[in-house]
Amino acid sequence: MNPAAILSRPLASNATQQNVVLFRIYVGYRSLLSVVLLIMLVSPNTRQLVGALNPSLYVIVALLYLGTSALLLGSLAGTWRYNQRMLFAVFLVDIAAIVLMSDASGGVSSGLPVLLVITVAASAVMIPNRTLATLIAALSVLAILADSAWLILRGVLDINALFPAGLLGVLIFGVSLMVQFIASRLGRAEELARIRASDLYNLQRLNEQIVQHMQTGILLVNDRGRVRVMNQAASQLLSPGYPILTEQGRQLADYSEELARQFEQWRDTGLHRAQPIRVAEQAPQVIAHFRELQPGAERETLVFVEDYSPVTQYAQSLKLTSLGRLTASIAHEIRNPLGAISHAAQLLQESPALAVADRRLADIIQQHSMRVNQTVESVMQISRREPPRPEYILLPEWLPEFVNRYLDTLKQEAEITVDCSYRDLLVEFDPENLRRILSNLLDNALRHSKMATGRDVARIEVMLEFSKHQCLVDVIDQGEGVTSKDQSKLFEPFYTTVQEGSGMGLFLCKELCEINHADLHYCRSSQGESCFRLSLNQRAL
């Protein structure tokens, strides 16, 4: 391989920082050595050991050596990238300086050539290319042998001086090869450690991403009930709308007194019976499980918080499936006698000889027959629920048209206003499902307005909630509203607060909203009016 190509090759990035530290140590040693060599020349106790043959050469070389060390020390303050060419030049200067000072002091007998062992060892550590490191060792040995031969020719040394020079050469080669082997092993170990550290870091980042994007909320809680760490799902379930960084460090009781009570009970008894918790009035129910992270003084605990809604929805789905099968199997048996009862009541009403009291009884039979038939129809609609067929709907145009058609089908006069100030508002929804939802909500709104005020009045308001990227469609009535005790039962099947209702209308609306990725809940309007709010989430916008 071309030596020039080897010298021009920069150090590997992972070795650069390590070599910077080693080079600084070596420059410090080099500077200290040059100062010591000059002191040895002027000290009365060591003056005879150095510079005996040529004091002027010794002084000049020692001063130049000290000057190069000063230059190298000054360069350490800059952002200098060290490479093999620079290191090779530094080590060549060291070899030349030590050999010249050894020549001025009497050669091998002065003991100065032994310093080349440190230079060769340093080159074996800092130069990763083993060829260059071996070349420096070879140049050191050749320089010692050449200087010894030169002194022998001059008569300063005898022929026996070649033996210690040869032994020193063997020592230099041995040190170079041994240090190269050790440095190579250490380099491979360091590279393996670096790879393992990188893998562990990547694995840690992967675990963090998995934990943060899990649907299950995870909290790390200490023995005093303080939350140390929580993931994004836990923040959304326990404190929606707040940044996750502001939530860490709070007490469990700040989120829910019931959650803190369950945690205390589990910590004291080791037993836990999972019960659904609602952290806020409009928040979904959650269920918590506790696991001790590791036994010890800290007794840190992992709290797993899950949304209980899918469980209740699945149970509700099973109930409705069973209900649908039951209804489908007995629908024929119910409708036939129901039709006969309704037909008989109609015939009684047409009889001229029927007394007024009996005519009233016939009306009651007719009304309740219609109510039973409506209940059967609602259950059948739910049991054979089909997937939605969403379309883009321009609400400012679609809502007035729907209201006009709805008013045409009513048998009484009613007043329904639409308030939508967004001209280009598009939503993605099944038009037939939206029509059925709003029809049921308007039926409910007109009925309760009339019960409270004697007038059939309702209002539809459309708003945008930019923080949650939602479109809100409010159906507002003038009724007295729903008590807090009854709000949790509003969307349960067969639950009704009026005698004429079947208890299936709101439940059917809720089901149709869910299959269209929307939400329906009861709330109060900004003016305190009774309101059912249809929330279209981001996927529907």
Side-chain angles (χ1 to χ4, degrees), residues 431-442:
E432 181 60 30
N433 289 345
L434 185 59
R435 190 175 295 110
R436 292 172 64 183
I437 292 170
L438 291 178
S439 296
N440 283 332
L441 294 179
L442 286 175

Side-chain angles (χ1 to χ4, degrees), residues 62 159 175 201 233 248 264-265 277 306 316 331 347 351 358 392 405 427 431 440 471 490 505 528:
I159 194 65
V175 169
Y201 175 76
Q248 300 181 13
E264 292 289 340
Q265 182 182 10
I277 304 167
E306 297 178 308
Q316 190 70 20
L347 292 177
S351 175
D358 294 337
Y392 286 107
R405 291 183 180 180
V427 296
N440 283 332
C471 173
L490 271 179

Side-chain angles (χ1 to χ4, degrees), residues 1-12 82-85 128-129 132:
M1 183 178 292
N2 188 2
I6 297 177
L7 289 174
S8 61
R9 185 181 303 167
L11 295 175
Y82 304 101
N83 53 46
Q84 294 188 102
R85 183 189 296 273
N129 190 285
L132 287 181

Side-chain angles (χ1 to χ4, degrees), residues 500-518:
E500 296 82 3
S502 64
M504 296 297 294
L506 291 178
F507 174 74
L508 180 61
C509 292
K510 186 77 169 179
E511 291 289 308
L512 292 177
C513 286
E514 289 180 355
I515 66 174
N516 283 274
H517 307 294

Side-chain angles (χ1 to χ4, degrees), residues 31-48 50 58 62-63 66:
S31 304
L32 181 62
L33 176 62
S34 59
V35 172
V36 170
L37 292 175
L38 285 173
I39 293 175
M40 290 178 66
L41 183 63
V42 298
S43 175
N45 298 327
T46 57
R47 184 182 304 168
Q48 66 277 10
V50 294
Y58 183 89
L63 289 175
L66 179 60

